[in-house]
Amino acid sequence: MNHLVDLLLIAVGAAFINNFVLHYFVGICPFIGVSRRVDQAFGMGLAVTFVVTIASFLAWFFTWFVTRPGAPVTAWVWGLFAPGSRTVLDLSILNYLIYIFVIASSVQFVEMYLKRFFPALFKAFGVYLPLITTNCAILFACLEIMKHVSGVRDPAAAWGLDQALALAVFGGLGFALAITMMAGIREELDLCDIPEPLKGAGITLLTAGIMAMAFMGFTGVDRGLAAFLR
Amino acid sequence: MVDSGPTALERFINGILPENPTYRQLLGMCPTLAVTNGLKPALTMAGATAFVLICANFITSLIRNALKPHLRILVFTLTIATFVTIADRFLQAFMPAMSKVLGPYVPLIIVNCIIIARCEVCASKQPVGTALADALGCSLGFALGLASIASVREILGTGCLLGARVLPEAWPNWGIMVLPPGAFLTLGLLLGLVEWAGAARKKAGGNQG
């Protein structure tokens, strides 16, 4: 039961309280660039959710089995070369390289897969899929997972796959929520009389600021929720 | 190269103001918003980004003739990731407190669009000297962008700049300025200001920019 509560708290935290865009400022580029129309924004949000889930799964996998201090695969390979050695290997210096490789290849893979099996969906995602490679939100999710897998002192507190996926899926959905809301507001803003210098990015950022203030209202919800459920 | 484009000096100057990465090109928004709640983290961030940008441009320019077109983005990102790892380890070792403050935003330099853009637009086509000048100019422009936003936010939010009192004690600290919404509001208003100043100069008959 406690484990389920943990998962729920991670999910609520990632989607609302610490929203990727409005609290951590990751994924700002598509948030400003692709939020002109609701349908496009929603497509972008779903594409990010999709890729962040796959990339986080792979990132957790590599961090857990290969790069964290004392990871099983690394220990096994090291044991082949130096039987009986007591050295605990720590490959976490390779983390960033592995993550960026994983993200780039999973985007490529998702692109090929969609093109072959879901051509309609592929057309809908269009140019956004390759752009996602340089979307900070994906790398940010991987880094959060790294922090909770190889950065923790107590091995029992390290995140399992379910916790990592909860963060990824709901972080992605939080991003989709924020970008779709922003697109809805911007469609209305098109009809408004905006001061010339603020047109485009300026008014979008100001709107985002007000949205971020609204999302600050979620602060502390996790503590209340935890107290209620436990 | 058939068309060498602007010279090294022009590129250096272009990066600082006329094509300022923050205000003109709207690149690298994550750190611009995330680490500008104080001038000190902003300058550290600008320094780390400058290091990575200069090194990445240098290496990319050296290997530009061996690059395969379809693999180039991957090569860029792996080069950048290597230097980011170096910068991150350096910060952890010598500035542990600052490293904690910057948190995930140091590794996020890897996906900072400024660096990939400079590698793609300039370093992969130009000789080493030009690429270095370009990287230096862009780094300075980025530092300028970060520092301007950070100064506004720190002064209005805490009444201090780099820990030294700037505004009188009676100043009611605008707490919102150092929180996430303040970042969006400040950047939005500063962008408007830059646009407005540019438009006013153009109207007055000055040259572009």
Side-chain angles (χ1 to χ4, degrees), chain A:
Chain A
M1 186 59 201
N2 252 348
H3 190 67
L4 280 182
V5 174
D6 274 348
L7 285 184
L8 183 70
L9 289 182
I10 290 173
V12 172
F16 296 113
I17 304 163
N18 298 327
N19 187 285
F20 276 19
V21 183
L22 298 170
H23 187 268
Y24 285 120
F25 309 109
V26 292
I28 292 288
C29 305
F31 185 66
I32 294 172
V34 201
S35 58
R36 234 164 248 288
R37 288 180 39 211
V38 170
D39 51 342
Q40 285 182 354
F42 189 63
M44 184 70 191
L46 285 191
V48 167
T49 312
F50 198 51
V51 176
V52 81
T53 311
I54 294 174
S56 297
F57 171 74
L58 291 171
W60 180 86
F61 192 84
F62 279 108
T63 319
W64 185 266
F65 287 107
V66 183
T67 62
R68 81 191 157 106
V73 173
T74 319
W76 178 74
V77 172
W78 181 242
L80 293 182
F81 289 106
S85 159
R86 288 182 174 279
T87 326
V88 175
L89 287 189
D90 180 5
L91 291 185
S92 46
I93 196 165
L94 293 176
N95 272 342
Y96 302 159
L97 279 171
I98 291 180
Y99 293 158
I100 206 69
F101 209 83
V102 158
I103 293 170
S105 43
S106 57
V107 168
Q108 199 82 33
F109 175 76
V110 167
E111 210 180 339
M112 287 182 336
Y113 182 79
L114 287 183
K115 201 174 183 179
R116 175 77 181 77
F117 294 104
F118 302 97
L121 200 60
F122 176 75
K123 263 214 187 100
F125 280 171
V127 68
Y128 307 131
L129 264 181
L131 279 182
I132 290 175
T133 313
T134 51
N135 185 329
C136 356
I138 318 276
L139 184 62
F140 178 77
C142 296
L143 291 169
E144 278 294 290
I145 290 166
M146 173 191 92
K147 199 171 85 190
H148 286 103
V149 171
S150 73
V152 287
R153 292 266 157 72
D154 172 21
W159 274 12
L161 183 57
D162 45 354
Q163 281 147 321
L165 285 183
L167 175 92
V169 173
F170 284 91
L173 288 179
F175 174 82
L177 177 75
I179 195 172
T180 314
M181 278 166 59
M182 176 51 101
I185 296 173
R186 280 185 79 175
E187 281 190 356
E188 297 295 320
L189 275 179
D190 279 345
L191 306 171
C192 299
D193 186 20
I194 301 162
E196 192 62 37
L198 284 177
K199 273 188 181 149
I203 194 72
T204 313
L205 284 165
L206 291 181
T207 316
I210 297 167
M211 270 170 76
M213 271 188 228
F215 268 69
M216 273 172 72
F218 285 113
T219 314
V221 168
D222 51 345
R223 257 168 283 145
L225 205 62
F228 176 69
L229 289 170
R230 282 209 172 104

Side-chain angles (χ1 to χ4, degrees), chain B residues 18-106:
Chain B
E19 285 173 27
N20 187 291
T22 306
Y23 290 115
R24 287 279 163 204
Q25 307 186 48
L26 289 180
L27 290 179
M29 285 289 113
C30 315
T32 311
L33 293 165
V35 300
T36 50
N37 50 4
L39 190 54
K40 202 165 169 236
L43 288 180
T44 318
M45 186 68 194
T49 312
F51 165 75
V52 177
L53 178 53
I54 292 168
C55 292
N57 251 12
F58 179 67
I59 297 286
T60 312
S61 177
L62 281 183
I63 60 172
R64 67 184 185 281
N65 293 327
L67 280 177
K68 298 273 178 293
H70 56 287
L71 282 178
R72 67 182 195 291
I73 300 283
L74 191 63
V75 173
F76 295 162
T77 36
L78 289 180
T79 317
I80 295 166
T82 312
F83 286 112
V84 167
T85 309
I86 296 172
D88 188 39
R89 296 272 150 161
F90 181 86
L91 283 178
Q92 276 174 17
F94 294 101
M95 305 165 84
M98 189 45 75
S99 168
K100 278 242 167 62
V101 172
L102 292 177
Y105 298 104
V106 177

